[in-house]
C-alpha cells in the first residue's frame, strides 16, 4: 500500500510538471509466445487521410481513453496469467500492442507486422505456410467491425487466430469467410433483438431508425429493421449519419432527417451508430433544437465520453441502451493508476529500455505518442463505466487454447514444441474458458453468449450516471419503477401512429405502414383473435359471437319447445278442439238411431269425427326435439286422418247433390252407391290415394332432421327440413280435390223450406278448409324457419275447428236444444220429396245454399 501511495505521488508530481511518460514503451513485452494487439489508442480526425497521395506513415494525434483502457486490460490479463500457474505454468506470454486510429489504412500496417517472420520485419512469400512461424501467435482486436472485416480476411488467409473485443457485426459469424475469427462480445443480432423487445414492451411501434454510415451502422440498422418488421414495429424514418470526415453535402442529409423526425409524431429514435457518428448527429440535433425524444442507443456510443461530454446532451431527452454485463473488475482502476504512476517514474522507464529491444518505430512509426502526454483526468471518466472485460477475456480465451495445445497441467506444460497459429486455431473451436470466475465458450461461429443490462442515462453534472433498469438474456426483464422520462409528470412517452384498437376491433391499414390504421369493429359471427389482426376471424359454424367480441361461444341447440308461449296457446286450442270433437262424437253415439245422425251418415259421421280428432292430435308431433321418426310421421299422420274426414264429408255432399240436382230416376240409382258398403269403398279409395302420395313423399323426398347453424344469431336450430316443396304440396292433393268436389256439390244445390239445409254447413266447412290452407301457403313459405312448425300446428287446428264449427256443432246444437226438429221429415225430407215431387214441386220456392 505504501509503495502504491508513493507511485501515486510520483505520478501526480510528474504529470503536474508536464514531464512526458513512458507509457508507449509499456505496449510491448517479450515472451515465449507473443500476442498481437490492435487498439484505438488515437483518432485520425486530423490526420488528413482523405488527402493522402503517397502511402506514407500516419500519425494519430487525438487521444482515445477507452482504447488505452482496453490495451491496459489486455496487459493486465497477460500479467495475471504470467504470475499464476493455472494456465501456462513455466511459460511467459508477451504482447505487442499497436494503435489502429480506428482506421483501416492505419490498422493494416501492424497487421502486416504481426505476420512478419519471427525475428524479422519481413513477410516471405511461400506456396505453403504450414511451417511458417510469424512474430505473434494470435491477435487480440481490433475493436470496430469496419476494421475487423478487413483484418479478419487477412488473418484468415494465414489461419491466424484473431479475437475481437468489440467487433459485433453479424457478417463476422460467417465461418467460410472468417474461419479464424472469434470475439468475446455477442453479435449485433442479439442487441437488435433486445432493442425490438424493448420497443414492444413499452408499446412503441412508430419509430425512427438511424445508423452510422459504416459497416457497424449499416449492418446493425439492417438487422434492426428486419427484426422490427417481423414484430409489427414500423419505421417511420430511416437514414444514415455520415462520419465526421464526410463532405458538407452529405452532412446536410442529417439536418433533413432530423427535420422529418421533428415534424412527425415519432417520439422514439433508435440510433445504431459509432460514437463519432452519434456525436455528429447530436451536434446537429442540439444546434437545430430538436424536441426531446427517447433515444435507444447501441452499445458503441452508450458509454462513449465523446457523446456524454457533448454540451447540451442533457437536453436531448431520455437515453436507453443495452450494455454487456461482463464481469466486475474492481482492481482495474487501481491497476491503471499504478501503470500511470510507473510511467512517470524515470527509473522504471530506464529499466524498460534495458530489458527489451526498441519499439521498431522506424518500421511501424510511433506506437502511441499521445499516450505519453496524458493525465489521470484523461482516463478517470472512462474508468467510471469502463467496458474492458471483453478485452481481458479475449486474452484468457487464447491462453486456454494454448493450454490445451501444449497439454499443460498443474506441474507444467510437457510439450515444448513451438506452436504455430493454425495449430492453436484447432484448439480454439468450441473452447470453454474462465475469466474472473465467469465461464465463457466460443460457439461454432466464434461467438460467446453474454447477457445485457439495460442502462438509463441519469444526469449527474457534468456526466450521466448509468442506472440499470432491466436485463436481457434472451428475454427482456424491465424494471418499470426504475425508469424516468423527460416528459412532464414523468409519463412514459407514446410513440404510435394510431391508437391501440379496443378489444373486438381489428386494424384496417392506411397507406404503406402497418402501424397506421383505422379500428374496425368485428361484426357478430366473427371475433378478434389477436391484437395484431388485420381481419376478423369467422367463428366456426357451431359457434357464435356478439359484436366486438374476442372469442366465440358454443351454439346451444334449440327447437320448438313445449314451454314456449305460442306452443302453450296452441295446446289450449288443441284441448278445446279435442273436447268439442269428443263431445260431438259422444252425442252422435248417444243419438245413434236419431234421424239427424242417420241423415249425417251414421257410422260414417262418427268415423269422420274420429278422424278429425286424430287430425288435432297430429299437432303433438311438432313440438319437442325433432327426430327421424317424428319428421317422417308429421305429414302422413296429419293428412291421412284429414282425408278420412273429408271423404265422409264428400259422401254427404254427393248425396245432397244427387238428391237435389239430378232427375229422380238417376238420383235413386246413384243414392244406392253412396250408402252402405259402397260408401265405405269410396272412403277406402280416398285413403289409399292419400297413402300412396304419402308413401311416395317419404320414399323419394323424405324429410330429414337438420341443424341450421346460421338461422339464429346465438343458437343452432334443429328442425325437420322439407327436401322438395313440390312433393310437400302434392301430399295435400287428395284432400284439396275432395274439398273442392264437396264445395262444388253443395254450393249450387237447391234448399227446401221446412227441411234441414245440410249443404250450407258443408259449403262453410269447405270454405274454412280453403281459407286456412290457402293462407297457410304464403305464410309458411315466408315466415322464419323457426316459426314454420308453429304455423303448421295453427293451420291444422284452425282447419279442424273450422270444419267442426261449421258442420258438426250446428247438429249438436239441434240435438241438445232443438230436439223437436230431430224428425224424419226435417232431416229425411229429400226422400219424401223424391217420392212426391210431382204434386208439390210447383208450390215450392227455390233457393241456393249459402
Amino acid at each position: 500500500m505504501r509503495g502504491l501511495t508513493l507511485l501515486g505521488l510520483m505520478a501526480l508530481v510528474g504529470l503536474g510538471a508536464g514531464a512526458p511518460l513512458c507509457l508507449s514503451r509499456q505496449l510491448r513485452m517479450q515472451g515465449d509466445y507473443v500476442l498481437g494487439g490492435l487498439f484505438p489508442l488515437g483518432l485520425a480526425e486530423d490526420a488528413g487521410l482523405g488527402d493522402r497521395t503517397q502511402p506514407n506513415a500516419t500519425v494519430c494525434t487525438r487521444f482515445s481513453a477507452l482504447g488505452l483502457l482496453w490495451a491496459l486490460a489486455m496487459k493486465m490479463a497477460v500479467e495475471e496469467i504470467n504470475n499464476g500457474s493455472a494456465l501456462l505454468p513455466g511459460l511467459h506470454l508477451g504482447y505487442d500492442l499497436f494503435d489502429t486510429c480506428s482506421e483501416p489504412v492505419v490498422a493494416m500496417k501492424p497487421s502486416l507486422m504481426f505476420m512478419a517472420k519471427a525475428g524479422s520485419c519481413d513477410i516471405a512469400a511461400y506456396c505453403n505456410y504450414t511451417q511458417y512461424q510469424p512474430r505473434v501467435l494470435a491477435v487480440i482486436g481490433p475493436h470496430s467491425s469496419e476494421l475487423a472485416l478487413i483484418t479478419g480476411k487477412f488473418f484468415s488467409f494465414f489461419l491466424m487466430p484473431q479475437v475481437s473485443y468489440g467487433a459485433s457485426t453479424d457478417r463476422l459469424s460467417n465461418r467460410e469467410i472468417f474461419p479464424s475469427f472469434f470475439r468475446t462480445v455477442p453479435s449485433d443480432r442479439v442487441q437488435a433483438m433486445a432493442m425490438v423487445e424493448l420497443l414492444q414492451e413499452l408499446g412503441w411501434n412508430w419509430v425512427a431508425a438511424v445508423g452510422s454510415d459504416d459497416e457497424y451502422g449499416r449492418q446493425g440498422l439492417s438487422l434492426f429493421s428486419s427484426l422490427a418488421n417481423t414484430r409489427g414495429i414500423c419505421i417511420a424514418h430511416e437514414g444514415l449519419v455520415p462520419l465526421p470526415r464526410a463532405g458538407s453535402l452529405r452532412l446536410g442529409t442529417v439536418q433533413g432527417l432530423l427535420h422529418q423526425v421533428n415534424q412527425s409524431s415519432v417520439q422514439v429514435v433508435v440510433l445504431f451508430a459509432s460514437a463519432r457518428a452519434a456525436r455528429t448527429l447530436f451536434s446537429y440535433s442540439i444546434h437545430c433544437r430538436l424536441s426531446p425524444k427517447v433515444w435507444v442507443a447501441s452499445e458503441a456510443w452508450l458509454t462513449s465520453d465523446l457523446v456524454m461530454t457533448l454540451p447540451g446532451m442533457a437536453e436531448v431527452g431520455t437515453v436507453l441502451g443495452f450494455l454487456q454485463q461482463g464481469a466486475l473488475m474492481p482492481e482495474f482502476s487501481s491497476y491503471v493508476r499504478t501503470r500511470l504512476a510507473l510511467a512517470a517514474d524515470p527509473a522504471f522507464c530506464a529499466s524498460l529500455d534495458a530489458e527489451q529491444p526498441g519499439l521498431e518505430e522506424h518500421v511501424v512509426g510511433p506506437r502511441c505518442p499521445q499516450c505519453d502526454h496524458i493525465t489521470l483526468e484523461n482516463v478517470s471518466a472512462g474508468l467510471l463505466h469502463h467496458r474492458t472485460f471483453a478485452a481481458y477475456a479475449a486474452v484468457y480465451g487464447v491462453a486456454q487454447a494454448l493450454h490445451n495445445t501444449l497439454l499443460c497441467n498443474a506441474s507444467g506444460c510437457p510439450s515444448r514444441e513451438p506452436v504455430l497459429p493454425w495449430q492453436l486455431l484447432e484448439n480454439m473451436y468450441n473452447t470453454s474458458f474462465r475469466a474472473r470466475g465467469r465461464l465463457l465458450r466460443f460457439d461454432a461461429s466464434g461467438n460467446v453468449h453474454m447477457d445485457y443490462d439495460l442502462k438509463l442515462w441519469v444526469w449527474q453534472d457534468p456526466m450521466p450516471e448509468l442506472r440499470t433498469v432491466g436485463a436481457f438474456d434472451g428475454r427482456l426483464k424491465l424494471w418499470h419503477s426504475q425508469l424516468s422520462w423527460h416528459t412532464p409528470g414523468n409519463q412514459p412517452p407514446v410513440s404510435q401512429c394510431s391508437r391501440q384498437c379496443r378489444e373486438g376491433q381489428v386494424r384496417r391499414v392506411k397507406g404503406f405502414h402497418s402501424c397506421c390504421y383505422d379500428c374496425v369493429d368485428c361484426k357478430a359471427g366473427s371475433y378478434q383473435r389477436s391484437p395484431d389482426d388485420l381481419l376478423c376471424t369467422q367463428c366456426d359454424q357451431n359457434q357464435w359471437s356478439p359484436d366486438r367480441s374476442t372469442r366465440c361461444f358454443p351454439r346451444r341447440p334449440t327447437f320448438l319447445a313445449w314451454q314456449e308461449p305460442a306452443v302453450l296457446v296452441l295446446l289450449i286450442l288443441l284441448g278445446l278442439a279435442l273436447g268439442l270433437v269428443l263431445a260431438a262424437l259422444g252425442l252422435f253415439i248417444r243419438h245413434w238411431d236419431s234421424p239427424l245422425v242417420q241423415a249425417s251418415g251414421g257410422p260414417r259421421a262418427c268415423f269422420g269425427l274420429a278422424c278429425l280428432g286424430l287430425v288435432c292430435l297430429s299437432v303433438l308431433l311438432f313440438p319437442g326435439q325433432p327426430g327421424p321418426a317424428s319428421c317422417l310421421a308429421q305429414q302422413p299422420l296429419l293428412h291421412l286422418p284429414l282425408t278420412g274426414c273429408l271423404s265422409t264429408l264428400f259422401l254427404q255432399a254427393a248425396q245432397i247433390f244427387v238428391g237435389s240436382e239430378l232427375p229422380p230416376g238417376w238420383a235413386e240409382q246413384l243414392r244406392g252407391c253412396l250408402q252402405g258398403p259402397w260408401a265405405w269403398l269410396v272412403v277406402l279409395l280416398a285413403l289409399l290415394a292419400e297413402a300412396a302420395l304419402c308413401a311416395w313423399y317419404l320414399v323419394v323426398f323424405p324429410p330429414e332432421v337438420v341443424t341450421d347453424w346460421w338461422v339464429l344469431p346465438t343458437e343452432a336450430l334443429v328442425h325437420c327440413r322439407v327436401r322438395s316443396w313440390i312433393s310437400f304440396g302434392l301430399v295435400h292433393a287428395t284432400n284439396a280435390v275432395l274439398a273442392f268436389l264437396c264445395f262444388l256439390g253443395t254450393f249450387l244445390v237447391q234448399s227446401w223450406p221446412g227441411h234441414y239445409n245440410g249443404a250450407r254447413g258443408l259449403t262453410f266447412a269447405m270454405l274454412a278448409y280453403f281459407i286456412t290452407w290457402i293462407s297457410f301457403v304464403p305464410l309458411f313459405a315466408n315466415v322464419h324457419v323457426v316459426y314454420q312448425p308453429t304455423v303448421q300446428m295453427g293451420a291444422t287446428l284452425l282447419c279442424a275447428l273450422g270444419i267442426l264449427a261449421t258442420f258438426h256443432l250446428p247438429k249438436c246444437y239441434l240435438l241438445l236444444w232443438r230436439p223437436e226438429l230431430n224428425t224424419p221429415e226435417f232431416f229425411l225430407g229429400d226422400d219424401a220429396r223424391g217420392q212426391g215431387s210431382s204434386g208439390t214441386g210447383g208450390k215450392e220456392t227455390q233457393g241456393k245454399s249459402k
Side-chain angles (χ1 to χ4, degrees), residues 184-187 190-191 194 299 321-327 387 389 438-440 448-455 468 470-477:
T184 51
V185 293
S187 163
V190 181
Q191 187 178 185
E299 193 176 16
F322 289 93
L323 194 65
Q324 298 166 38
Q325 288 183 353
R387 295 178 293 130
F389 175 73
R438 180 165 187 162
L439 181 63
L440 301 174
V448 297
H449 173 75
M450 199 171 291
D451 298 338
Y452 282 94
D453 284 329
L454 178 61
K455 298 291 187 178
T468 302
F472 182 79
D473 57 359
R475 296 184 62 184
L476 179 67
K477 302 179 184 67

Side-chain angles (χ1 to χ4, degrees), residues 612-633:
L612 201 59
L614 292 176
V615 170
C616 295
L617 288 174
S618 69
V619 302
L620 297 177
L621 293 171
F622 291 93
Q625 184 168 2
S630 64
C631 285
L632 292 173

Side-chain angles (χ1 to χ4, degrees), residues 124-142:
Y126 297 105
C127 293
N128 188 343
Y129 283 90
T130 304
Q131 300 303 320
Y132 185 77
Q133 183 72 63
R135 290 169 62 108
V136 300
L137 183 63
V139 176
I140 306 298

Side-chain angles (χ1 to χ4, degrees), residues 370-612:
Q370 64 273 26
C371 294
D372 293 336
H373 301 279
I374 64 171
T375 65
L376 285 171
E377 286 75 15
N378 294 129
V379 296
S380 59
L383 285 174
L384 293 176
H385 39 72
H386 61 84
R387 295 178 293 130
T388 53
F389 175 73
Y392 176 88
V395 178
Y396 273 88
V398 174
Q400 181 65 52
L402 183 58
H403 171 93
N404 298 339
T405 304
L406 295 174
L407 306 176
C408 298
N409 51 42
S411 59
C413 300
S415 176
R416 290 292 179 172
E417 294 293 329
V419 178
L420 299 173
W422 62 268
Q423 293 174 322
L424 178 68
L425 180 64
E426 290 179 351
N427 286 282
M428 290 195 67
Y429 294 125
N430 300 311
T431 293
S432 298
F433 58 96
R434 286 191 175 274
R436 290 281 159 175
R438 180 165 187 162
L439 181 63
L440 301 174
R441 179 178 176 273
F442 292 126
D443 62 19
S445 300
N447 303 320
V448 297
H449 173 75
M450 199 171 291
D451 298 338
Y452 282 94
D453 284 329
L454 178 61
K455 298 291 187 178
L456 172 72
W457 280 14
V458 180
W459 281 93
Q460 305 287 342
D461 288 337
M463 295 277 288
E465 172 193 339
L466 294 179
R467 178 193 297 173
T468 302
V469 295
F472 182 79
D473 57 359
R475 296 184 62 184
L476 179 67
K477 302 179 184 67
L478 188 61
W479 306 320
H480 291 271
S481 61
Q482 298 294 320
L483 291 170
S484 59
W485 308 102
H486 63 275
T487 53
N490 196 31
Q491 293 297 315
V494 177
S495 190
Q496 298 174 341
C497 181
S498 301
R499 68 170 179 84
Q500 287 289 333
C501 289
R502 299 175 182 174
E503 287 190 350
Q505 293 182 325
V506 294
R507 302 172 178 179
R508 185 171 61 193
V509 177
K510 301 185 297 185
F512 300 102
H513 292 290
S514 61
C515 301
C516 301
Y517 49 81
D518 292 324
C519 295
V520 180
D521 292 347
C522 287
K523 302 299 182 184
S526 63
Y527 70 103
Q528 176 202 28
R529 184 166 51 184
S530 69
D532 297 328
D533 281 353
L534 300 179
L535 295 173
C536 297
T537 303
Q538 291 296 322
C539 295
D540 294 336
Q541 66 172 6
N542 61 343
Q543 295 177 323
W544 72 277
S545 68
D547 290 337
R548 286 185 58 180
S549 178
T550 58
R551 54 169 294 196
C552 290
F553 304 91
R555 289 181 180 270
R556 180 177 60 85
T558 188
F559 41 83
L560 188 62
W562 292 96
Q563 64 270 22
E564 291 191 16
V567 175
L568 295 176
V569 171
L570 290 172
L571 289 177
I572 294 172
L573 199 61
L574 170 63
L576 174 64
L578 280 177
L580 293 174
V581 167
L582 292 175
L585 184 59
L587 282 173
F588 274 40
I589 294 174
R590 182 178 180 183
H591 299 86
W592 182 268
D593 295 326
S594 66
L596 185 151
V597 175
Q598 292 304 314
S600 300
R604 292 193 306 275
C606 293
F607 176 76
L609 280 171
C611 288
L612 201 59

Side-chain angles (χ1 to χ4, degrees), residues 171-404:
R171 287 175 56 188
L172 292 167
S173 298
N174 190 332
R175 270 286 172 252
E176 293 185 2
I177 302 177
F178 304 99
S180 65
F181 182 84
F182 300 83
R183 53 185 163 195
T184 51
V185 293
S187 163
D188 280 335
R189 181 176 295 275
V190 181
Q191 187 178 185
M193 288 173 58
M195 289 178 172
V196 171
E197 291 275 352
L198 175 64
L199 297 181
Q200 281 195 308
E201 176 68 21
L202 294 172
W204 297 330
N205 63 3
W206 186 241
V207 302
V210 183
S212 54
D213 194 7
D214 54 15
E215 177 61 29
Y216 173 76
R218 289 190 297 268
Q219 191 261 354
L221 186 60
S222 174
L223 276 175
F224 171 77
S225 299
S226 61
L227 290 172
N229 287 333
T230 60
R231 298 292 188 90
I233 297 172
C234 299
I235 299 176
H237 308 285
E238 186 171 350
L240 295 173
V241 180
L243 298 180
R245 62 176 179 272
S248 59
L249 182 63
R250 294 185 62 197
L251 289 175
T253 61
V254 178
Q255 291 179 320
L257 178 63
L258 291 176
H259 179 73
Q260 291 178 357
V261 173
N262 202 31
Q263 294 298 316
S264 70
S265 59
V266 170
Q267 298 299 318
V268 178
V269 182
V270 176
L271 182 55
F272 221 112
S274 62
R276 289 187 294 163
R279 182 182 176 91
T280 301
L281 178 69
F282 284 117
S283 297
Y284 276 98
S285 172
I286 296 168
H287 176 73
C288 298
R289 298 184 180 276
L290 179 71
S291 58
K293 305 288 182 184
V294 176
W295 298 88
V296 180
S298 65
E299 193 176 16
W301 67 269
L302 180 63
T303 60
S304 171
D305 55 348
L306 279 177
V307 182
M308 288 180 167
T309 57
L310 187 65
M313 273 302 292
E315 308 301 323
V316 300
T318 303
V319 177
L320 284 166
F322 289 93
L323 194 65
Q324 298 166 38
Q325 288 183 353
L328 296 176
M329 298 174 60
E331 66 274 25
F332 180 67
S333 297
S334 175
Y335 178 82
V336 171
R337 293 186 181 92
T338 301
R339 289 292 108 190
L340 289 175
L342 290 172
D345 181 7
F348 175 78
C349 296
S351 67
L352 289 177
D353 295 334
E355 290 177 3
Q356 60 184 17
L359 297 178
E360 299 175 316
E361 292 185 348
H362 64 287
V363 179
V364 296
R367 290 189 180 237
C368 183
Q370 64 273 26
C371 294
D372 293 336
H373 301 279
I374 64 171
T375 65
L376 285 171
E377 286 75 15
N378 294 129
V379 296
S380 59
L383 285 174
L384 293 176
H385 39 72
H386 61 84
R387 295 178 293 130
T388 53
F389 175 73
Y392 176 88
V395 178
Y396 273 88
V398 174
Q400 181 65 52
L402 183 58
H403 171 93
N404 298 339

